[in-house]
Amino acid sequence: MHNATKLRVLLQRPGIIKAIGAHDALSAKLIQQAGFDAIWASGFGISASLKCVPDASFVTSTEQLEIERNMVEAVSIPIIADCDTGYGNALNVMRTVNDHERAGVAAICIEDNVYPKRCSFYAGFRRELIAVEEHCGKIRAAKVAQTVPDFMIIARTEALIAGWGHEEALRRAEAYAQAGADAVLIHSKSPTFDELKAVARAWSGRVPLVVVPTIFDGVTAAELEEAGFKIVIYANQMIRAGIQAMREALDVIKQDTRPGSVNDRIAKLKDVYDLVGVPQMEEDERRFLPVGGAQITAIIAAAGFEKQLLPLIEDKPKCLLDIKGKTILERQVAALNLCNIKDIALVRGYRKEAITLPNIRYYDNDRYEETGDLFSFFCAENEMKSRCLFLYGDIIFDTAVLEKLLKSPADITLVVDYAWTEVQQRGHPVPHLKPDLVMLQNPPGKSYLFRYVMPEEQNRVVKIGQHLPLDQAHAEFIGLAMFSEKGAEALKGAYREASKHYQAKGFHEAGAFIRASFTDMIQELIDRGHEVNCVTIFKGWMEVDSFEEYQKAWATIRQ
Ligand code: SPV
Ligand code: MG
């Protein structure tokens, strides 16, 4: 429904319509929340708040319209725009009407002041009005230009303000109604309501009357309604309330110097969040931002030293090996960032000082020589609070692999590669030195090998380890896993208990708990009855565990 129709509906209702002057979107929102009927986009208020200038045609029509558009966006109640003199002659008024219709404003008010106008209440200025005929021409032009049927033109006369008397005020009001105005506003700065009450009594009733009781401010809405007014505009009380409230808060802070000294007189932060729509934004983020928003933390284990890679890693850890101009770590971070994961923690050990990439939180495993990757991951246990990713520091993967993992709804999900089976079945040599093999609950049929389309459904891992008999292995774990908050809790709980229980014993495939690998812990979780799911891929990643793999990476990776 156009804003204009809403105002027409209000006009049909019994009772006086209460419009309050707003100077920006926020004040408009407050007015709506307080339950008023309509907004008056006040020239006085906007001049003061936007530029801190007098209400005297210093704010341009474009600037004023911009504020009105902001108000239209912020509220659903109708907006009556104070358009001063209409920003020019009758032809300019035509454009003003169309601009305001397009902006979604309900009505404009144009006054018979000469341009540039002076606020009706400023003392000491010479008051001149344009000729009745000229203002009637503006109104006729406005009605011809109008395309939204319910749009309203409110004609305002300043005859009483200029001291031209009741009769002239009524003559003008009548002429403007005759010219097609949908309502008239006879403005007054008399200290009492009597002047306007008398004018209203003499009014023909041809169109509704609008009143702005700024100076005669003791009058109630009921009295105005009783006198025959249909719309009351509280034009400038909001901007004045704002000025006073800000001054008072400033005084207190200046005296006291503690920010909290004004707590009892300012809106709570939560109040501001609610006003500007933060809850809706949170909801939208949950619904529409790609999975893997800020709440996902990636933990990279990159502490180890593998002597088979010497001399390549003489002066730097493996994750800093350069492959065509980018290190493994840079490639990992880029893939994470592409999936909107910016929260990255890294556990470093061997040549730790060489890793200095920004925007990563670092944890040190200085016992990297005697510990396994499980121990390394747990150096960053603090990071395992919400959904988290676990990455081995020596893998490179396509972003699509990560995207697929991020879609998993399961609490614990591993990425496993079927290509390993193909290699096995075709009798190729095992691609990695020590593959982490997995046995799945629903082993793949052979057909997938020819389809190269991975099933979307989840599968469950029943066994994992490097010592898994080859005939039991269905796929290879690539060193990338995701845990939900619940999954992370299970992982931490199992780690805590296992570290006590297995302290001096072997732990799954590891000779000692401290040397355990991440996959030993996964097996432990499975044995404890936790569901470990996997998403399946077919290639799209590589590991750099040997000189040959490094060469292969150089040969395969694009720039
Ligand atoms: C305004 O709010 O800008 C008005 C009303 O035009 S008054 O200031 O009372 O004239
Ligand atoms: Mg004004």
XYZ file of all heavy atoms in Angstrom, residues 64 81 105 120 138 182 195 233 321 442 446:
86
model
N 16.830 17.403 1.593
C 15.612 17.127 2.361
C 14.989 15.803 1.899
O 14.591 14.969 2.708
C 14.628 18.295 2.160
C 13.257 18.088 2.757
C 13.085 18.701 4.143
O 13.972 19.398 4.638
N 11.962 18.419 4.772
N 5.620 15.417 4.057
C 6.871 16.153 3.869
C 6.626 17.654 3.891
O 5.752 18.165 3.179
C 7.512 15.745 2.552
N 6.502 9.047 -0.139
C 5.940 9.969 0.850
C 4.428 10.054 0.613
O 3.954 9.865 -0.511
C 6.642 11.347 0.677
C 5.878 12.453 1.363
C 8.080 11.268 1.186
N 8.574 30.475 10.453
C 7.455 31.336 10.846
C 7.665 32.020 12.194
O 7.023 33.032 12.483
C 6.180 30.502 10.919
O 6.045 29.728 9.756
N 0.467 27.018 -7.976
C 1.321 25.915 -7.505
C 0.462 24.703 -7.151
O 0.803 23.554 -7.454
C 2.116 26.342 -6.263
C 3.250 27.317 -6.542
C 4.094 27.526 -5.286
C 5.178 28.565 -5.528
N 6.028 28.770 -4.344
N -5.826 19.219 -0.800
C -6.562 18.154 -0.108
C -6.767 18.478 1.367
O -7.575 17.832 2.038
C -5.791 16.838 -0.237
C -5.629 16.450 -1.690
O -6.617 16.031 -2.305
O -4.510 16.601 -2.233
N -6.911 32.508 18.772
C -6.883 33.046 17.409
C -7.299 31.972 16.401
O -8.201 32.175 15.584
C -5.466 33.542 17.075
C -5.344 34.023 15.644
C -3.917 34.454 15.295
O -2.980 33.627 15.417
O -3.736 35.610 14.897
N 0.074 18.544 14.077
C 1.502 18.276 13.863
C 2.288 18.832 15.056
O 2.274 20.043 15.306
C 1.986 18.933 12.541
C 1.272 18.275 11.346
C 3.504 18.805 12.408
C 1.524 18.976 10.017
N 56.723 -24.431 2.846
C 57.285 -24.806 1.551
C 56.563 -24.056 0.457
O 55.336 -23.982 0.446
C 57.128 -26.320 1.326
C 58.124 -27.202 2.071
C 57.847 -28.674 1.788
C 59.563 -26.843 1.649
N 29.052 -47.952 4.787
C 28.489 -48.308 3.490
C 29.569 -48.146 2.429
O 29.703 -47.070 1.853
C 27.310 -47.396 3.133
C 26.239 -47.471 4.191
O 25.784 -48.558 4.552
N 25.854 -46.318 4.730
N 31.381 -50.226 -7.133
C 32.475 -49.879 -8.041
C 32.056 -48.815 -9.047
O 32.877 -48.123 -9.621
C 32.933 -51.129 -8.787
C 33.798 -51.993 -7.890
C 34.492 -53.088 -8.647
C 35.292 -53.958 -7.674
N 35.370 -55.337 -8.105
